[in-house]
Amino acid sequence: MKWASIVCALILALTLVACGGGNNASSSSSSSSSSSCGSGNAANEPAKNEPAKPDPAKDRQAVADALLKAYTTLDSSGVLGLFTAEEQDKAKSRIVSEIDDIKKKGGKVTITDSKIEEKEGKFFLTATLVFDVAGEQSTKTRPAQLIQKDGKWYVSFNK
């Protein structure tokens, strides 16, 4: 039993020495040795990927696309999330009710043109929508401002 304890202690001691165990800051070979002991040498570890930085242009476009998709698919369920809390009542009475009414009447909406433009540091979505409801077609150009609040982009009725 003594031999087993001595052998275990010897193996443990050799492992610590080989892996640079302990706090030997003065050891010159511990920083240059390359071993498979998991010494945690940051220089030998692969660089970690940093999270992608937000792209405001893509984020604005995604909000605009979501609004236009709601019209073309006649799915008003996600529209309110595209507006700030302060403007959700307006969005419900204007856009959600319009989309739901067109759907109820069996109509459809197509987008013939849309663009985002910057004017004096503000961003505006302008879309041309063609409404086909009950056999009647009408074309309307709808402007909307795209605003950023708390790092997130929203559609706004402000001009």
Side-chain angles (χ1 to χ4, degrees), residues 44-128:
N44 293 335
E45 293 179 14
K48 292 186 171 61
N49 291 337
E50 292 183 24
K53 293 182 181 180
D55 183 347
K58 285 183 180 179
D59 295 342
R60 284 189 299 271
Q61 188 65 53
V63 171
D65 291 345
L67 179 63
L68 298 176
K69 183 178 179 183
Y71 269 105
T72 58
T73 62
L74 299 176
D75 181 11
S76 64
S77 63
V79 169
L80 295 181
L82 302 174
F83 290 85
T84 62
E86 298 82 19
E87 293 194 74
Q88 288 187 359
D89 286 339
K90 264 188 199 179
K92 193 174 193 178
S93 68
R94 293 182 184 181
I95 297 175
V96 172
S97 64
E98 181 177 53
I99 291 172
D100 290 344
D101 188 48
I102 294 167
K103 185 175 184 176
K104 188 173 157 184
K105 292 177 181 178
K108 69 177 187 172
V109 179
T110 55
I111 311 295
T112 59
D113 185 37
S114 71
K115 61 186 171 188
I116 297 174
E117 295 179 304
E118 181 181 2
K119 296 177 185 172
E120 298 175 7
K122 295 180 180 178
F123 295 92
F124 297 92
L125 167 67
T126 305
T128 304

